[in-house]
């Protein structure tokens, strides 16, 4: 018998967690639910077929493969008959997900990636053991506990660096300008996985907050960020949700609560079972931040981030700028299974306040995840004429299906293939690390001179990233040159002062952020019209909101 109890409001992407105790998923089929039912006999036959097949494969396959590999693969195949977001989580995957959602783990405090087949530090996190020992961006981790990292995957490296609190790990790093490897002994500590990755003042009076995911700490982090920006004179806010894949529903509700009136609908869910239908309204736990608001989204904005953007848009609280979001309108309940595994099972759909479900078509999983792009690398989007229309509080038209369509559509500035190669092959990053190592007295006021650009050209050509003529042709294009100059400054500053110090330079020239700054007057007019309509219920206020919306360009 399967015993299910609600344990907390944590979720894989959007919804409740429920713990499944005392049985695995398969074992649960023999519980009271099916005992004596007409489908019991058929289920038992199918399970007998499965166990016979598993026994044959494990006994007679030419290679000795653990039974769990076959079982896990068969579970994945079974779940693919449902939808793209129903997922079986092996024990390690489930534990990693719990770490992310809970907002901390034990380790060193470094962001690493695989660059040029080397495990490279992107940045140490402020206040962590790695930062206190002076680990820098660009350092290469060459050994962990005497084991060379050359043949280890990135996942293997991360697994070896993480461990119980207070334990030690011995590593060796390679650093530009130092011939011999540097041995380090680091004591693992609790590492916060911050949900708000960046917070700053873009201009006098204009604050900026980037939320990279929704975890148990997001709302608390947002409270702190708002307080700090208010102290710096914030009177307008850009909320950046680009690349945010989602997270906890409670966190999304808490974020939206900062911008909506108490009692306003944020999202509601519906499914086959009665308990899947739930309304989530603004609880009014947080003082409303009553400033002009612009939300920025892109193709990587999904799930909980779409809930926040959809609520802001439907209530005309602010404007949404950027690209059409991913389009995930399915709700998963996360079940804890025996032996440390988990199941994220789609149990309902969610709807924005105007009634929109924004789930994209997933009849082809391949197109859903991989091939849904045109020849220019831009996402293929459903034409607006083919999407169902809904109305916001002031009567503006918004669209269901296919993600959150921005009020102001802004594509990133296109770059040449050569410039993209310089970025993805780490030429700009590596040059920044080497430049910082050779110039210990540099400051954040560094100007990227023509000499630096010419030096970078030769550096990238010598590293065979691209031919010198191709690099120079790319730099002859104004858009590419501005991008490369900004990126060079950002990477040099990051190598010397840390990633946070470089972030303002990364935003300079960002076309979506620049457009967000331009539309604040329209966002303010729309929010005022919506508030007036709610306060007085007058048709004139709604018409004013619609007129304000008509003045907003949809495509840039």
């Amino acid at each position: 018998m399967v015993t299910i109890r609600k344990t907390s409001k944590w979720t894989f992407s959007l919804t409740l967690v429920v713990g499944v105790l005392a049985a695995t998923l398969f074992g649960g089929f023999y519980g009271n639910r099916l005992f004596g039912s007409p489908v019991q006999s058929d289920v038992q036959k199918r399970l007998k077929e499965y166990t016979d097949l598993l026994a044959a494969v494990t006994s007679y396959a030419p290679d000795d493969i653990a039974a769990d590999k076959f079982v896990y693969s068969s579970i994945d195949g079974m779940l693919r008959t449902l939808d793209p977001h129903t997922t079986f989580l092996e024990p390690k995957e489930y534990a990693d997900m719990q770490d992310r959602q809970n907002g901390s783990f034990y380790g060193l405090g470094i962001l690493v990636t695989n660059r040029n087949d080397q495990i490279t530090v992107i940045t140490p996190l402020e206040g962590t053991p790695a930062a206190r020992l002076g680990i820098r961006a660009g350092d290469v981790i060459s050994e962990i506990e005497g084991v060379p990292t050359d043949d280890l995957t990135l996942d293997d490296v991360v697994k070896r660096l993480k461990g119980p609190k207070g334990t030690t790990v011995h590593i060796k790093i390679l650093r530009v300008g130092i011939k011999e490897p540097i041995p380090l002994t680091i004591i693992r500590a609790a590492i916060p996985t911050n949900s708000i990755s960046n917070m700053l003042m873009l201009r006098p009076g204009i604050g900026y907050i980037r939320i990279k995911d929704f975890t148990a700490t997001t709302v608390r982090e947002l409270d702190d960020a708002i307080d700090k920006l208010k102290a710096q004179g914030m009177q307008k806010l850009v909320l950046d949700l680009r690349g945010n894949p989602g997270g906890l529903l409670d966190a999304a509700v808490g974020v939206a609560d900062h911008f909506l009136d108490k009692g306003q609908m944020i999202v509601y869910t519906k499914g086959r079972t009665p308990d899947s239908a739930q309304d989530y309204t603004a609880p009014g736990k947080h003082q409303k931040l009553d400033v002009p608001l612009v939300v920025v989204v892109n193709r990587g904005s999904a799930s909980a981030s779409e809930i926040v953007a959809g609520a802001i848009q439907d209530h005309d609280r602010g404007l949404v700028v950027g690209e059409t979001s991913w389009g995930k309108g399915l709700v998963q309940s996360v079940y804890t299974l025996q032996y440390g595994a988990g199941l994220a099972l789609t149990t309902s759909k969610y709807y924005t306040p105007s009634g929109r479900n924004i789930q994209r078509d997933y009849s082809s999983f391949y197109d859903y995840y991989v091939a849904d792009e045109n020849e220019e690398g831009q996402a293929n989007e459903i034409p607006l004429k083919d999407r169902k229309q809904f109305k916001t509080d002031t009567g503006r038209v918004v669209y269901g299906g296919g993600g959150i369509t921005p009020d102001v559509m802004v594509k990133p500035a296109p770059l040449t293939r050569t410039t993209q190669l310089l970025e993805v092959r780490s030429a700009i990053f590596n040059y920044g690390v080497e430049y910082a190592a050779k110039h210990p007295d540099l400051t954040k006021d560094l100007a990227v001179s023509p000499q630096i650009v010419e030096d970078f050209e030769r550096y990238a050509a010598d590293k065979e990233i691209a031919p010198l003529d191709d690099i120079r042709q790319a730099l002859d294009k104004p858009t590419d040159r501005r991008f490369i100059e900004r990126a060079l400054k950002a990477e040099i500053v990051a190598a010397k002062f840390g990633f946070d110090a470089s972030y303002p330079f990364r935003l300079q020239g960002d076309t979506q952020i620049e457009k967000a700054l331009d539309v604040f007057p329209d966002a303010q007019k729309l929010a005022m019209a919506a508030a007036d309509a709610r306060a007085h219920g007058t048709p004139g206020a709604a018409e004013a909101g619609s007129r304000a919306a008509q003045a907003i360009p949809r495509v840039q």
Side-chain angles (χ1 to χ4, degrees), residues 533-544:
R534 287 193 298 273
H536 302 98
T538 57
E543 291 170 5

Side-chain angles (χ1 to χ4, degrees), residues 6 8-11 14-18 278 280 332-334:
K6 296 178 181 178
S8 67
K9 279 284 187 79
W10 88 235
T11 117
L14 296 177
T15 189
L16 305 174
V17 130
V18 286
Q278 297 190 52
Y280 297 88
Q332 285 72 51
S333 295
V334 178

Side-chain angles (χ1 to χ4, degrees), residues 290-491:
D290 202 6
V291 301
L293 174 67
V294 177
V295 181
V296 189
V297 298
N298 66 3
R299 184 65 160 178
S301 306
S303 190
S305 57
E306 293 175 298
I307 287 177
V308 173
I312 297 298
Q313 189 178 53
D314 283 2
H315 290 304
D316 300 298
R317 172 60 185 87
L319 288 178
V320 179
V321 170
E323 301 164 274
T324 300
S325 62
W326 177 264
K328 180 184 181 297
L330 302 179
V331 181
Q332 285 72 51
S333 295
V334 178
Y335 296 85
T336 301
L337 309 177
Q338 267 193 345
Y339 313 116
L343 171 67
L345 176 66
T346 296
T347 54
S348 60
K349 298 178 180 180
Y350 78 75
Y351 299 82
T352 70
S354 66
R356 293 184 284 170
N357 178 260
I358 48 82
Q359 176 63 46
R360 279 195 300 124
D361 174 59
Y362 55 82
S363 54
S364 166
F365 281 18
Y366 179 77
D367 288 341
Y368 186 71
Y369 279 118
V370 178
D372 198 20
E373 293 184 348
N374 57 30
E375 294 180 355
E376 287 73 37
Q378 300 289 344
N380 287 319
E381 296 184 5
I382 303 171
L384 295 183
K385 64 180 178 64
D386 296 332
R387 296 172 63 181
K388 188 175 180 181
Q389 295 186 358
F390 297 82
K391 294 293 184 68
T392 69
D393 287 359
T394 64
R396 295 191 303 140
V397 174
V398 288
Y399 300 89
I404 299 293
T405 301
D407 301 303
V408 183
M409 188 78 76
V410 184
K411 306 277 187 185
L415 299 172
T416 63
R417 179 179 181 275
T418 298
T419 297
Q420 294 179 55
L421 287 175
L422 293 173
E423 182 181 25
V424 301
R425 291 184 178 175
S426 304
I428 301 174
F429 173 85
N430 291 333
Y431 179 85
V433 169
E434 294 193 19
Y435 186 94
K438 294 175 183 177
H439 300 81
D441 297 328
L442 70 85
T443 69
K444 296 177 186 177
D445 297 327
L446 165 79
V448 177
S449 64
Q451 290 74 23
I452 291 177
V453 175
E454 290 177 10
D455 186 46
F456 170 71
E457 292 174 1
R458 292 189 294 271
Y459 171 88
D462 290 344
K463 297 291 184 180
E464 299 183 348
I465 304 298
L468 183 60
D469 286 345
D470 290 355
I471 297 171
R472 287 176 173 169
Q473 288 177 16
L475 283 162
D476 284 340
K477 298 181 180 298
T479 298
D480 288 68
R481 188 175 189 90
R482 286 194 297 268
F483 173 84
I484 291 172
E485 289 177 348
R486 289 194 308 271
L488 284 171
K489 178 165 184 174
E491 296 298 357

Side-chain angles (χ1 to χ4, degrees), residues 32-328:
N32 289 341
R33 291 186 189 179
L34 294 182
F35 185 75
S37 73
V39 299
Q40 180 189 19
S41 177
D42 186 59
V43 170
Q44 287 179 324
K45 288 179 180 178
R46 301 290 82 79
L47 289 177
K48 182 64 167 59
E49 288 177 345
Y50 178 80
T51 55
D52 289 347
L53 177 62
L54 180 62
V57 170
T58 54
S59 298
Y60 303 116
D63 298 316
D64 185 13
I65 299 176
D68 64 337
K69 296 297 183 184
F70 289 122
V71 172
Y72 290 169
S73 295
S74 65
I75 293 173
D76 288 337
M78 175 181 68
L79 297 182
R80 282 184 64 85
T81 65
L82 299 176
D83 64 84
H85 298 292
T86 291
T87 308
F88 174 70
L89 301 165
E90 296 184 24
K92 181 182 180 302
E93 294 174 318
Y94 191 35
D96 289 344
M97 185 195 74
Q98 289 174 304
D99 283 343
R100 291 194 302 271
Q101 300 288 23
N102 290 332
S104 67
F105 63 92
Y106 298 118
L108 311 188
I110 49 176
L111 180 63
V112 296
T113 191
N114 193 321
R115 289 184 183 267
N116 303 321
D117 297 323
Q118 294 181 310
I119 303 301
T120 306
V121 176
I122 300 301
T123 187
L125 305 179
E126 185 177 352
T128 62
R132 288 193 291 271
L133 280 177
I135 291 179
R136 303 176 184 173
D139 286 346
V140 171
I141 300 176
S142 59
E143 286 186 15
I144 304 173
E145 300 294 355
V147 178
T149 59
D150 295 345
D151 297 325
L152 297 179
T153 66
L154 187 60
D155 285 343
D156 289 335
V157 169
V158 171
K159 182 177 179 180
R160 291 167 186 260
L161 293 178
K162 293 168 65 174
K165 180 181 180 180
T167 58
T168 59
V169 58
H170 304 86
I171 67 174
K172 287 184 180 179
I173 62 172
L174 305 176
R175 177 171 293 171
V176 172
I178 299 178
K179 293 182 179 180
E180 298 297 324
I182 304 172
L184 294 173
T185 299
I186 306 178
I187 300 176
R188 297 182 177 99
I191 308 300
T193 55
N194 292 335
S195 176
I196 292 180
S197 59
N198 298 96
M199 177 271 302
L200 53 96
M201 295 294 290
L202 289 172
R203 294 178 183 174
I206 302 180
Y208 169 92
I209 296 174
R210 177 173 183 260
I211 303 178
K212 65 182 180 65
D213 53 17
F214 290 86
T215 71
T217 65
T218 302
V219 175
R220 183 178 71 247
E221 292 178 49
L222 181 60
D223 290 336
D224 293 341
I226 288 173
D227 287 344
K228 290 177 181 177
L229 292 176
K230 278 184 174 180
Q232 297 177 53
M234 178 180 66
Q235 298 173 349
K236 304 172 184 176
L237 176 64
V238 175
L239 183 65
D240 192 347
L241 300 180
R242 291 177 296 179
N244 184 322
L248 301 180
L249 174 60
D250 283 352
V253 170
V255 168
D257 189 41
H258 287 77
F259 306 107
L260 301 177
D261 293 334
K262 182 177 180 179
Q264 283 189 292
M265 179 67 70
I266 294 173
V267 67
Y268 63 93
T269 63
K270 292 190 298 185
R272 285 199 305 161
T273 61
D275 61 354
S276 66
Q278 297 190 52
D279 293 347
Y280 297 88
T281 60
K285 292 182 179 179
H286 304 89
Q287 182 178 359
K288 182 180 177 182
L289 183 64
D290 202 6
V291 301
L293 174 67
V294 177
V295 181
V296 189
V297 298
N298 66 3
R299 184 65 160 178
S301 306
S303 190
S305 57
E306 293 175 298
I307 287 177
V308 173
I312 297 298
Q313 189 178 53
D314 283 2
H315 290 304
D316 300 298
R317 172 60 185 87
L319 288 178
V320 179
V321 170
E323 301 164 274
T324 300
S325 62
W326 177 264
K328 180 184 181 297

